[in-house]
Structures are given as C-alpha cells and as structure tokens.
Amino acid sequence: MDTSILFQETQLGALKLKNKFIVAPLTRMRADQPDMVPNDLMVEYYSQRASFGLILTECSQISPLSHCFPGSGGIFTEEQAQGWKKVVDAVHEKGSLIMLQIWHNGRAVNPSQIGGQQPIGPSPIAIDQNNFLANNEPYPVPHELTIEEIKEVVQQYKRGAELAKQAGFDGVELHGANGYLVDQFLRDGSNQRTDIYGGSVQNRSRFCLEVIDALAEVFGYDRVAVRFSPTGRYNGQYDSNPLALMEYLLGELSKRNLAFVELKRHGALEYFIKNNSEDKRIPPAQQIPDFFNQLRKFYQGNLVANDGIKIEEALTLTTSNTAQAISFGVLSISNPDLPIRVKNNWEINQTIDKNTWFFGGSKGYTDFPTYEQQINVSSS
Ligand SMILES: Cc1cc2nc3c(=O)[nH]c(=O)nc-3n(C[C@H](O)[C@H](O)[C@H](O)COP(=O)(O)O)c2cc1C
C-alpha cells in the first residue's frame, strides 16, 4: 500500500503540518484537581504523540460552569495557562504543532458537577437521558440564556483564547460537536428560541459564528478551527435537517479562511449510547448519506475528516482531496507513534481499553509503547 500522500507537508491556514495525521481531541481527565491545571503526566502524554503533524487537545473549559469532566484541563486561569504552556513547549520541542480545543458544555452537566449551579443552554430543554458521569441522575432543565448572557459567554471564549495564546498554542479549535453548547445552539432539537439566536438556520448558526469571530480577534482566522458532528446523537442531540444547517454554516465559514473545519461522522461515540428501539427519528447515516463527499460540496476551505477512519479510507479521502488531513481518536490512544507505524508498515495496536479512557493515572494513558519499544520488550 502506497501511503506516501499521508506524509506530505500540509498547510492548514497558518499551520504547516509535517504530515496529514492529527490526534483527535480526547478527554482523558488527568489534570490536577480541583484547579484543573495540566500537569507533568499530561506533558508526557501529549509529547509522546509528536510524530503526528498536529495534536488537538482534550476539550478545555472556559469557566467553572462550563465543564462536566472532573480532570479536564481548563483555560480560564493563569495557572491553567501556565500548566498548558509546559505541554505546548514539550510538543514544540519534539517537532509537532498543538491546538487547544476550546469548550463550553452548556446543558450537558448536572448541578452536583458544577457546585450546585443550574447549567445553561439556548432553551429550557433537558437532555432526555441520564448522566453516567453523575450517578445516572437525569439531566436538569438548563437556564435559557438571555441575549446579554450570550454576549458574556462569547467573551469567556475570547478570554480562553487569550490564555491559550499566552500558553503558546498554535491555534484553537472550537468544540462545535457532540451536543455541547455550540452544538446545542446549532440544532433544532435543543434550540427552540424565538429571538435572533433561534428558528432559521441563519439564526441558529449566529452563536457559533460570533464565537468564531471572537476567537479570530485573538488568533486570526487562519489559526482558528471548528469541529462539527451534525448527525451525532451523543448528549441527546438531534436536528431535523442537518444538511440544510451545514449548507448554510459551511457557506458562511467558507468566507472566513479558517485553518480547517473538522467533521465528525456519526459513529464511534456509539460506545456511549445505548440502542433505543423506541427512537423513530431518521437514523444518522440516512440524514447525510455519503457524509464527507456531501459536506465537501458546501465548503471551500480545508477539511479534516474524523470518525472510524482506517488507513485505507484516509488514503481515499486525501487522494480525492475530500479531506486535507485525518484525525484519529482511539487509534492515537493505543498508538502514540501511529504515523511511524504506518510509514514503516508496522502493525497497528488495536487495543481499546475503555476502563482507562477517563481514569487510571498513567495506566492506559502514557504506558502504550511505540512499536520500537514494544519490539524491544518482546525480544528481551
Ligand atoms: C475517550 C474519548 C474521549 C473523547 N473526548 C473528546 C473531546 O474532548 N472532544 C471531542 O470533540 N471529541 C472527543 N471524543 C471523540 C473523538 O475525538 C473522536 O471523534 C472519536 O473517537 C471518533 O474518532 P475515532 O474513530 O478515530 O476514534 C472522545 C472520544 C473518546 C473515545
């Protein structure tokens, strides 16, 4: 198999990647508590993956109210920025680039996880599931943000970007996927506002575009990226017409010269979703068939493809110019050296250990060996 295209230098906005391999954003919950400060273990974990052209960090919260994962590294205090700086410096030193995934969880959290406060959202609609991160309690009805409060949240994203810049990140990726705040505004299952932030696809896209514009005030558009999962069902999400939404949104983003848009096809987060035979809504794969090719038609800039992509599909997507680069999630957990394995045609480690995704310190986090370490261990 000729994989050479995956090792071409790739320009994504202002970022020059040494290859087309990207570490997908992965929450691993190893930051110091209670201050959510990135630590030395995280320095080791991220810098182990420097053979990838670009690393996207775990989703990083912009305020105390904006997170649901204890142990995700935050980006709203100087101390957190200093912790991230150590991660960034180590990754740069080993020759890769790193962007912070910037995040607000919105309604996807229980009061017990955020000091008893009520979560926020575009509309007072709760996720119709129980929260496995909060003793399986039902999700609460979020407080519907006023227009003034929306403006404040946009400023929190901007402040997060300023701290990310201070930490030395090469840019930021806005988390617009997986049922968190931006995605909650985008989709009509969670956004039933009647003001300028709800209703039409133009209005539902407004919050996302305002946040992107605020991030670009800090980094410039060519160091800002955004991730979407328009058909994903994680966190109880649904949109009645995701194709129309993406046609408008990607059209608007085409005017902005972003570093890239990362598209997550529905798939791997099914790890977390129980099959519900009562769900009579249109299945995700039927909402946008031929996902990447369809969405490519709406976007003029760089696309990064994600979700269940193996090397063969990565080659097809990049050779056809459907995607300029590919992000890998679970494969980058068990293969810190994935690009090197592919280049040398070495075996890819297919281990999936869900027990250590979110817990376990170094176990399942920094102890996956590179291929060369693995061979040395087995031959000694
Ligand atoms: C343990 C774990 C943590 C994740 N954390 C995030 C996250 O912080 N932000 C995000 O956008 N997606 C997150 N995802 C989704 C992944 O980025 C990716 O979209 C998913 O794993 C599918 O890609 P893959 O098939 O290459 O693994 C997570 C997935 C897993 C398995």
Side-chain angles (χ1 to χ4, degrees):
M1 188 165 40
D2 177 7
T3 59
S4 54
I5 188 167
L6 298 177
F7 296 92
Q8 288 175 1
E9 274 190 348
T10 301
Q11 193 78 38
L12 300 181
L15 281 68
K16 188 184 263 184
L17 279 61
K18 63 188 169 195
N19 57 44
K20 294 181 181 289
F21 289 81
I22 297 180
V23 176
L26 292 164
T27 292
R28 308 299 309 276
M29 292 172 40
R30 263 67 170 194
D32 286 347
Q33 293 303 315
D35 298 329
M36 309 170 223
V37 176
N39 52 32
D40 290 348
L41 188 62
M42 290 166 66
V43 171
E44 187 183 354
Y45 168 78
Y46 281 109
S47 62
Q48 282 176 338
R49 283 151 183 81
S51 59
F52 287 73
L54 172 67
I55 297 170
L56 298 170
T57 69
E58 65 208 68
C59 54
S60 179
Q61 58 274 16
I62 54 170
S63 69
L65 184 67
S66 66
H67 80 116
C68 54
F69 302 117
S72 51
I75 195 72
F76 56 93
T77 69
E78 297 277 339
E79 205 189 348
Q80 290 161 355
Q82 280 160 20
W84 277 122
K85 186 170 186 318
K86 292 185 198 154
V87 172
V88 172
D89 288 349
V91 169
H92 284 165
E93 202 160 300
K94 289 179 77 179
S96 187
L97 302 172
I98 181 163
M99 289 173 98
L100 180 89
Q101 191 185 50
I102 194 161
W103 170 63
H104 194 306
N105 70 179
R107 68 174 183 164
V109 65
N110 281 60
S112 57
Q113 297 169 281
I114 47 173
Q117 296 184 72
Q118 187 184 9
I120 59 169
S123 298
I125 302 169
I127 295 175
D128 62 349
Q129 292 167 1
N130 293 343
N131 183 350
F132 74 98
L133 284 167
N135 299 322
N136 266 333
E137 294 167 34
Y139 280 99
V141 174
H143 162 68
E144 178 176 336
L145 287 168
T146 63
I147 289 196
E148 202 171 286
E149 288 166 342
I150 290 175
K151 307 275 177 217
E152 283 167 24
V153 176
V154 172
Q155 288 312 305
Q156 289 172 0
Y157 276 103
K158 185 173 176 187
R159 174 71 185 137
E162 284 165 355
L163 287 169
K165 195 167 187 188
Q166 197 177 302
F169 278 104
D170 297 292
V172 281
E173 179 188 69
L174 175 64
H175 196 342
N178 300 350
Y180 298 110
L181 188 62
V182 172
D183 197 29
Q184 291 160 27
F185 269 89
L186 289 175
R187 295 205 251 173
D188 59 11
S190 45
N191 181 350
Q192 292 178 7
R193 298 176 75 95
T194 53
D195 62 8
I196 57 164
Y197 288 95
S200 62
V201 290
Q202 288 83 350
N203 282 352
R204 282 185 277 127
S205 300
R206 191 180 307 278
F207 177 67
C208 175
L209 294 172
E210 284 180 358
V211 175
I212 287 176
D213 292 344
L215 299 175
E217 282 172 27
V218 179
F219 270 101
Y221 285 106
D222 57 1
R223 289 183 181 274
V224 172
V226 58
R227 164 180 260 225
F228 299 120
S229 58
T231 55
R233 293 288 163 81
Y234 186 58
N235 278 323
Q237 283 297 94
Y238 185 72
D239 190 79
S240 57
N241 191 348
L243 203 54
L245 173 67
M246 292 312 286
E247 180 168 13
Y248 172 74
L249 191 52
L250 291 176
E252 285 304 302
L253 293 175
S254 293
K255 300 173 193 163
R256 282 173 168 79
N257 246 338
L258 298 179
F260 58 87
V261 170
E262 186 190 14
L263 292 175
K264 181 183 177 307
R265 179 171 59 183
H266 173 80
L269 285 178
E270 283 167 347
Y271 289 127
F272 302 105
I273 300 175
K274 302 223 170 8
N275 256 343
N276 180 357
S277 55
E278 300 297 305
D279 190 346
K280 300 284 182 261
R281 299 172 302 186
I282 307 168
Q286 286 174 28
Q287 286 199 299
I288 307 186
D290 200 12
F291 187 87
F292 295 120
N293 285 323
Q294 284 262 33
L295 295 178
R296 170 80 273 177
K297 291 183 200 142
F298 301 146
Y299 191 57
Q300 310 306 319
N302 299 312
L303 279 187
V304 171
N306 171 255
D307 207 315
I309 297 177
K310 304 278 185 290
I311 300 308
E312 289 75 6
E313 190 180 9
L315 290 171
T316 310
L317 287 167
T318 50
T319 307
S320 61
N321 251 328
T322 308
Q324 279 57 56
I326 309 295
S327 63
F328 297 91
V330 293
L331 283 184
S332 69
I333 294 177
S334 53
N335 299 273
D337 57 342
L338 183 67
I340 300 171
R341 289 180 188 241
V342 173
K343 194 167 204 171
N344 292 294
N345 206 15
W346 291 337
E347 187 189 8
I348 294 175
N349 184 349
Q350 304 291 343
T351 306
I352 293 181
D353 179 9
K354 293 183 206 168
N355 293 326
T356 55
W357 275 357
F358 304 119
F359 313 99
S362 59
K363 189 169 173 344
Y365 189 56
T366 49
D367 62 354
F368 279 109
T370 62
Y371 185 77
E372 285 166 296
Q373 288 165 339
Q374 187 185 316
I375 292 305
N376 282 342
V377 169
S378 52
S379 60
S380 59

